[in-house]
Structures are given as structure tokens and as C-alpha cells.
Amino acid sequence: MTNYVAIDIGGTNIKYGLIDQDGQLVESHEVATEAHKGGPHILQKTKDIVASYLEEGPVAGVAISSAGMVDPDKGEIFYAGPQIPNYAGTQFKKEIEESFQVPCEIENDVNCAGLAEAVSGSGKGAGITLCLTIGTGIGGCLIIDSQIFHGFSNSACEVGYMHMQDGAFQDLASTTALVEYVAKAHGEEVSIGMVVEFSKKLQKAINSVWRELTVW
């Protein structure tokens, strides 16, 4: 059976695995991105993942979805926010194809998510699908008739970089920003996991009070 290596590079984690020719996930794994170490480090991690699979047997190709602005024709990152330093200019397609002699394609991660929703998810059957993601940064994409709308400069719908009064949209409203806001209010470092757990506990308390109020 023909398998492909699929790699999703996010600001927090790299998720990867094998998919078969029907697009079904065969296996999956996850490692920390360590985005603060920059583009060269992420490229090497990606190559290590591909190499580990090739040690087990041949693959038909490598498919990468990545944070940042991607030129899918050149197969490289042409812009990225400060969350991943030195990421712009990272040539995934060239590096992987020359290193392993297997075809490689790369696309923006939100474009991939939106395309998946348009083809087989919540947007299936819709002529136009808009997808927004909120994570380490904020991403957006537009799918028209099951095709990614890249725009003139491959940056269509990149709302995370949109300039607001106090800075870029994703610097103000992403999970990264949320953690920073909570840490500042709390007076010490916190993680997104701690924020989510706290919000769950707070929600339980609010629900309890609300139930008592509605009894009255």
C-alpha cells in the first residue's frame, strides 16, 4: 500500500504520521516544535521525521502544512511572525527533495485545515468556505469551489497579521496573548493548559451559582 508522510508544523507542536492513498490516517505522533529555536531547527526536525520513516521503508511523498505564509509553488516560507524566528526563507520542498529524493509539497496550515473542511468536513458541498483558527497565532483562509484562494501574493485571508490599534491581531487575541494576559494578572508564569483547567473550574462554579439563582 502507498503511504505518504504528513507533517503539520504549528507554533507549539509538530504533529506527524502516515496517511494512505485514500487519505486515511495510518498512525500519528507529536513532538514539541521548540519554535523559539527558529526556522533552521524546525527544518532539521522535519528532515529527521522524514528520515525515520524512510528507514522503515519507501514512501510516495511528503506533505507538509505549516504556520506562516507559504509559497506553495516554491515550497518555502516567505513570511512568519515573531512566534517563529528566522522562519522566513525556509525551503522545505528543496531541502527534502534533494536530501531524500522523494516529492514534497508544502501549504499553509490553515489553508490545509480549510480545504479539509471544504472537501470532507463542515464545509462539504458549500461553494465558499471561510476557516479561522485560533492557536499560537491566528490564521484564516478562503476556499472557493474546493480550491484555496491564495490571492495575488499568497497571503489572502491572513487576518492574524492584520494591524489593529494596539498591534497585530494575533498578538492581541491568540492563545499566546491569552497566556500572557493571565500570567500578568496572576503574577507568575502559566501555561495554556493551566489557563484551560482554571477556566473549566471557574465554569463549574458559575454553573453551580446559576443553578441556585434559577431555583429562586
Side-chain angles (χ1 to χ4, degrees), residues 73-90:
D73 296 322
K74 293 182 179 179
E76 66 180 37
I77 309 297
F78 69 88
Y79 181 81
Q83 293 87 352
I84 308 180
N86 303 314
Y87 202 36
T90 305

Side-chain angles (χ1 to χ4, degrees), residues 175-176 178-180 182-183 186 188-198:
T175 56
T176 303
L178 174 62
V179 169
E180 290 176 354
V182 174
H186 191 56
E188 60 182 85
E189 275 192 31
V190 298
S191 66
I192 186 59
M194 293 168 63
V195 174
V196 170
E197 190 59 34
F198 176 74

Side-chain angles (χ1 to χ4, degrees), residues 4 7 12 25 31 38 50 61 74 85 88 102 119 121 125 163 188 190 192 203:
Y4 299 81
I7 304 172
T12 303
L25 190 64
V31 295
V50 176
K74 293 182 179 179
V102 295
V119 172
H163 184 72
E188 60 182 85
V190 298
I192 186 59
Q203 187 62 52

Side-chain angles (χ1 to χ4, degrees), residues 3-210:
N3 288 330
Y4 299 81
V5 178
I7 304 172
D8 174 59
I9 303 171
T12 303
N13 294 307
I14 296 176
K15 301 179 180 70
Y16 65 96
L18 288 178
I19 57 174
D20 62 23
Q21 57 191 2
D22 297 319
Q24 299 300 308
L25 190 64
V26 176
E27 63 171 63
S28 63
H29 308 277
E30 184 174 316
V31 295
T33 306
E34 298 179 304
H36 64 281
K37 294 184 179 180
H41 177 76
I42 294 173
L43 175 60
Q44 187 57 55
K45 270 197 166 186
T46 304
K47 292 172 74 172
D48 289 344
I49 291 170
V50 176
S52 68
Y53 277 115
L54 287 173
E55 288 176 359
E56 300 174 5
V59 297
V62 178
I64 302 174
S65 64
S66 175
M69 293 185 183
V70 177
D71 184 326
D73 296 322
K74 293 182 179 179
E76 66 180 37
I77 309 297
F78 69 88
Y79 181 81
Q83 293 87 352
I84 308 180
N86 303 314
Y87 202 36
T90 305
Q91 298 179 316
F92 283 98
K93 181 178 177 68
K94 178 177 182 292
E95 288 282 341
I96 288 176
E97 290 186 345
E98 291 183 355
S99 297
F100 305 108
Q101 289 74 55
V102 295
C104 173
E105 300 296 336
I106 181 171
E107 178 60 89
N108 171 265
D109 54 354
V110 182
N111 286 348
C112 289
L115 184 60
E117 290 293 343
V119 172
S120 59
S122 301
K124 186 176 182 179
I128 297 178
T129 304
L130 174 66
C131 177
L132 296 177
T133 62
I134 301 175
T136 307
I138 294 178
C141 76
L142 185 64
I143 310 295
I144 302 175
D145 295 330
S146 298
Q147 297 292 318
I148 299 170
F149 179 70
H150 288 100
F152 174 74
S153 58
N154 286 312
S155 58
C157 220
E158 287 283 3
V159 295
Y161 303 107
M162 184 170 57
H163 184 72
M164 312 290 282
Q165 182 174 343
D166 297 319
F169 185 26
Q170 66 182 7
D171 293 337
L172 302 174
S174 63
T175 56
T176 303
L178 174 62
V179 169
E180 290 176 354
Y181 295 149
V182 174
K184 185 176 180 179
H186 191 56
E188 60 182 85
E189 275 192 31
V190 298
S191 66
I192 186 59
M194 293 168 63
V195 174
V196 170
E197 190 59 34
F198 176 74
S199 66
K200 287 180 180 178
K201 291 179 180 179
L202 184 61
Q203 187 62 52
K204 289 180 181 178
I206 292 172
N207 289 342
S208 176
V209 172
W210 179 252

